[in-house]
Amino acid sequence: MDENFMTVLYFLRALLIFALPTCVVRFFLKNKIGKNVKMGFSLFFCRKIEIGDNTHLSSFNIFRVEELIIAKNVRCGSFNVFSGKLHVMIGENCYIGKLNKISNPSFNSIKSYFKMGDYSNINVGHLFDLTHNITLSSKTVLAGVGTQVWTHSFCLPTKGKKIRIEKPVLIGENNYIGSRSIILAGVETANNVVIGAGSVVSKSLLQNSALYVGRAAQMVRKIDADLIAKTLKEYDNILELDEYFVWR
């Protein structure tokens, strides 16, 4: 079907969801909206949308993604933004606070996945960069405010183009991540991990049932050809863009 025509249909559906009571929306979307669902004044620009029973979504959220699958008993606050070429899957009994941003940059043509396991919790004002996939396993909590999760970085050769490097982030089960932590591309964490507030996590945390804290930046070596070659060996799937390469 013509892409422009489908865009118009998605726009009309977004207006319908925004303007009409949830009971009327359920009638038009048939089995896509569960029982006792409450949807505030939010915008849903999604190719596919499914919302489970007893889920409550507050007003003034934006869902502009490819696919939005929300399980039952989910609570979502206000002023959250989900945008880009994303497949969003939110498990049962999850909580999303307010002012969170989950986005795949507009220049990225690759679809990414954002997954929240059952009973996961995202509080206030957190940032998720979905250049690649992010998975929050079950019972994980992003506490407080201002944590950033990144799935890309840059390598700067002395000659030639910039190289953007990307890797997914996987947070294990029953993790607790303190306020204003920064988690970088390629990080995986074990189960039952606590990350202290303000920590910078640049490498995987593979010890179960452990506490990790701290942040410090210091020069460890100069950037040279050997370091660049070593870094790029960790990535594959090269995609050339107009201004730089992408390694996944």
Side-chain angles (χ1 to χ4, degrees), residues 25-40:
V25 174
R26 288 187 66 233
F27 174 80
F28 283 103
L29 296 184
K30 299 179 180 179
N31 298 325
K32 304 300 183 182
I33 307 296
K35 298 178 181 179
N36 194 32
V37 170
K38 296 181 180 179
M39 304 167 67

Side-chain angles (χ1 to χ4, degrees), residues 175-215:
N175 277 211
Y176 181 93
I177 302 173
S179 288
R180 302 193 186 283
S181 295
I182 299 175
I183 299 174
L184 301 181
V187 164
E188 297 184 13
T189 68
N191 297 330
N192 307 309
V193 164
V194 175
I195 299 174
S199 296
V200 177
V201 184
S202 60
K203 296 182 179 180
S204 293
L205 311 178
L206 302 180
Q207 177 63 53
N208 287 328
S209 303
L211 168 65
Y212 295 88
V213 297
R215 61 185 299 168

Side-chain angles (χ1 to χ4, degrees), residues 37-60:
V37 170
K38 296 181 180 179
M39 304 167 67
F41 294 105
S42 296
L43 293 175
F44 294 81
F45 296 97
C46 310
R47 294 180 180 272
K48 180 180 180 181
I49 179 171
E50 295 181 9
I51 301 177
D53 297 343
N54 302 310
T55 287
H56 297 175
L57 307 176
S58 298
S59 296
F60 311 118

